[in-house]
């Protein structure tokens, strides 16, 4: 705990913008904390709120969802759907006593390697401050 | 189930921060893992052979490669599985390079993250299912957007390969920027002399259909089957009847009273016009923002152009048309805009008529330009001319990139001044002369030998231009002031101001500088991330004419490949509905941006149209009964991966 706590953060990044932005951070060798582990999805619209809840239940301390900028979605409007779902989910998390700041949605384009690294730094620090996730932990039966 | 894990060292790209040997030790005992190895280059021939051998000998049925981004080599390794008789979708890739070794410095942390990522992949691999790629037929036609030299070249080459090409240009004539240039560096070819024959070739080619004064309205579909709507603006002149005689322009009440965009507003035209005399097609167009009749509903007693046109080609009732076309592939060649020098007020552009841009100079020096090639400012021949390079280029406040052509066109323009006004005194303020191309250095040396003074200025050294009488005085740090008659600014090449709109319509990406993004800067320089759409010319980044033409040829080849094959394989990732679970609530129906979900009135459940579905998964995330599963991104696969990662 305290300063030694290294949060485990799961990221859902859309293939076309955020994942490409993360790749660009790599090819540009921009450093960021190793706390984020990424799951690639085709669109942020694929991120079912269950994924987020499940990640928190399975032991992740925070979740980052990255989509294309508003208006730039590769599938026209999947990122808008994701945004609405996450807004509703955050209310639910709050209701159940989980700090909604554990879940963050962001827009990163394929050209924004620097922004991606910045977002990861911010999220890591934010979750570090919130401490380990301890509510509702359970084993996944899958 | 037998999983094989292959950890790539990527030379030292991965191995210098991720201890691949230790990773192998830590993952080899994970459930279902039969074998784990590390190797220097997994993508190399021996690396691929290693996997093939294991698949055969150890009877692996799932393969995980932990190497670079799947956006780079996923197709490579899927092919390895395919060649070994395994379904290519039994492959999972872990991104250890772009998203681990290259972005972390701490070896311990990076190694443990690598292990975590592989644990996620192992968990997911268990639930992977075999999929078949869909084979779709290809409409053997192409669309080229933009009729500059790159677009013309691409269209001609695709047409030469035997395929129909629609060449769409939004201005009244093809030709683009190159038509505005006087001479081309470093060979001093007359730009029009080498361009206009190509314009004519494009217009007369039996396989090319020219759609000028037209813009792309919308693009739907996918590689092989794009449905494109083109908005053809009204010329108010019947293209089939007009022969381009020009009698209408002579008669126009605004004759020689409307600023000519082609001449960079230095020359005049009529409200009915062709942009330049060699325009293709040579058909007149009425400018609706200027024409008195179109603006007010009347033009004196009657429009004089109508009276002048004995072929009765003028038709004020012409309406905008939407043309639907279907094509297999698209080449984007929309070119560039020029940096607005007014954004750098210290140069006085827009305030002092002595200060002009490089492209304005091109019109001034061109024999077909407003002064018939006579260099003059305020009606007088300049005696002292100053050129300033890097205006809006290599400048953190405006554009950080180098525009690549300014050093050479400035040298060329200096040469042109010397040729036309031998007694003139010329000074060029440069930052670094970048003479990298074939014949460039030789040309630069030649111009220096012609008595042109090159004065170096550091990038951040300010230059201030003030008016003194009829002249301007150029103050540059570390150099004596110069009183000049004419100052020519080498303004940057910038992305088209509205390229954002086209990028959205086409569903492609822009890079940070605003130019269109290629799929890989080195290995796929003409592809975009959207299959079937390719880039040519300056829309992808500043380049000179030979580079634009070379890229256009490359894009033409890439765009012709699917047309020649007649069929393409498209991603098998799509939605699937479990009939038993679907309650027919129709929540998903409105979420689909592609109308791929339809309600089956008979069975009262939803059905997926496989060809229309693009696999985004928005529907699956909303289905309350979990009836919709996403192929390759199914909830079971993702929850398993979460479990692997969250530990």
């Amino acid at each position: 705990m305290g300063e030694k706590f290294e949060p485990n953060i799961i990221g859902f990044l859309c293939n076309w913008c955020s994942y490409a932005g993360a790749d660009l951070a790599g090819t540009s060798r921009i450093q960021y904390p190793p706390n984020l582990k990424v799951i690639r999805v085709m669109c942020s619209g694929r991120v079912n709120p269950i994924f987020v809840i499940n990640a928190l239940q399975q032991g992740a301390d925070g979740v980052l969802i990255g989509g294309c900028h508003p208006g730039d979605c590769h599938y026209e409007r999947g990122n808008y759907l994701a945004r609405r779902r996450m807004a509703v989910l955050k209310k639910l998390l709050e209701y159940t006593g989980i700090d909604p700041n554990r879940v963050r949605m962001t827009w990163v384009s394929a050209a924004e390697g620097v922004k991606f690294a910045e977002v990861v730094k911010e999220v890591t620090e934010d979750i570090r401050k919130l401490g380990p996730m301890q509510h509702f932990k359970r084993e996944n039966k899958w | 189930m037998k999983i094989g894990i292959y950890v790539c060292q990527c030379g030292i790209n991965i191995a210098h921060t991720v201890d691949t040997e230790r990773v192998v030790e830590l993952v080899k005992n994970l459930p279902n893992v039969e074998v784990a190895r590390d190797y220097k280059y997994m993508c190399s021939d021996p690396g691929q052979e290693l996997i093939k051998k294991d698949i055969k000998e150890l009877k692996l049925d799932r393969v995980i490669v932990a190497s670079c981004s799947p956006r780079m080599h996923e197709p490579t390794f899927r092919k390895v599985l395919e060649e070994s008789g395994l379904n290519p979708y039994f492959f999972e890739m872990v991104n250890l390079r772009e998203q681990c070794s290259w972005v972390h410095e701490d070896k311990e942390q990076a190694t443990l993250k690598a292990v975590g990522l592989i644990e996620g992949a192992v968990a997911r691999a268990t639930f992977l299912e075999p999929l078949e790629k869909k084979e779709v037929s290809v409409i053997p036609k192409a669309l080229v957007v933009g009729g500059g030299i790159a677009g013309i070249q691409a269209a001609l080459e695709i047409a030469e390969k035997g395929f129909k090409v629609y060449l769409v240009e939004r201005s009244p004539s093809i030709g683009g920027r190159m038509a505005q240039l006087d001479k081309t560096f470093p060979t001093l070819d007359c730009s029009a002399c080498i361009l206009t024959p190509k314009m004519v070739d494009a217009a007369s080619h039996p396989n090319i259909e020219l759609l000028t004064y037209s813009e792309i309205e919308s693009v739907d579909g996918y590689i092989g089957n794009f449905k494109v709507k083109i908005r053809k603006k009204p010329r108010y002149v019947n293209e089939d009847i007009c022969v381009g005689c020009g009698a209408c322009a002579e008669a126009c009440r605004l004759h020689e009273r409307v600023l000519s965009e082609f001449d960079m507003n230095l020359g005049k035209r009529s409200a009915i016009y062709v942009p330049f005399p060699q325009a293709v097609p040579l058909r007149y167009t009425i400018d609706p923002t200027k024409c008195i009749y179109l603006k007010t509903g009347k033009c004196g007693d009657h429009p004089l152009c109508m009276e002048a046109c004995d072929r009765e080609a003028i038709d004020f009732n012409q309406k905008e048309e939407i043309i639907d076309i279907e094509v297999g592939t698209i080449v984007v060649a929309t070119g560039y805009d020029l940096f607005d020098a007014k954004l750098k007020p210290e140069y006085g552009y827009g305030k002092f008529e002595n200060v002009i841009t490089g492209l304005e100079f091109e019109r001034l020096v061109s024999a077909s330009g407003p002064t018939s090639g006579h260099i003059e400012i305020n009606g007088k021949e300049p005696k002292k001319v100053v050129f300033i390079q890097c205006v809006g280029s290599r400048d953190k406040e405006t554009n950080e990139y180098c525009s690549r052509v300014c050093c050479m066109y400035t040298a060329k323009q200096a040469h042109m001044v010397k040729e036309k006004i031998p007694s003139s005194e010329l000074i060029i303020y440069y930052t670094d002369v970048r003479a990298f191309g074939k014949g460039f250095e030789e040309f630069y040396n030649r111009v220096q030998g012609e008595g042109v003074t090159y004065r170096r200025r550091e990038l951040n050294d300010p230059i201030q231009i003030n008016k003194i009488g009829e002249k301007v005085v150029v103050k540059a740090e570390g150099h004596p002031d110069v009183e000049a008659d004419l100052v020519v600014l080498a303004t940057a090449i910038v992305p088209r101001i509205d390229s954002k709109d086209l990028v959205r319509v086409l569903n492609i990406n822009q890079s940070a500088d605003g130019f269109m993004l290629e799929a890989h800067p080195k290995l796929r320089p003409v592809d975009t991330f959207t299959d079937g759409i390719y880039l040519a010319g300056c829309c992808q980044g500043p380049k000179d004419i030979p580079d634009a033409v070379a890229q256009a040829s490359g894009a033409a080849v890439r765009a012709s490949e699917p047309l020649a094959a007649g069929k393409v394989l498209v991603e098998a990732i799509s939605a699937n509905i479990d009939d038993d679970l679907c309650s027919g609530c129709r929540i998903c129906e409105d979420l689909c941006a592609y109308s791929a979900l339809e309600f089956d009135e008979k069975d009262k459940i939803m059905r997926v149209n496989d060809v229309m579905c693009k696999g985004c998964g928005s529907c699956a995330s909303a289905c309350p009964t979990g009836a919709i599963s996403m192929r390759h991104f199914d909830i079971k696969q993702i929850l398993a991966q979460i479990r692997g990662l969250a530990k």
Side-chain angles (χ1 to χ4, degrees), chain B residues 276-292:
Chain B
F276 52 106
Q278 304 91 335
V280 170
L282 190 60
R283 299 287 181 269
Y284 275 75
T285 304
I286 298 180
D287 180 348
T289 65
K290 295 293 183 313
C291 171
I292 301 169

Side-chain angles (χ1 to χ4, degrees), chain B residues 177 180-181 264 338 357-363 409 413:
Chain B
R177 292 287 183 205
Q180 290 177 286
L181 307 181
M264 302 304 291
L338 282 172
T357 67
L359 197 55
E360 287 168 359
F361 180 86
E362 291 292 332
R363 296 317 301 150
Y409 82 62
Q413 290 176 345

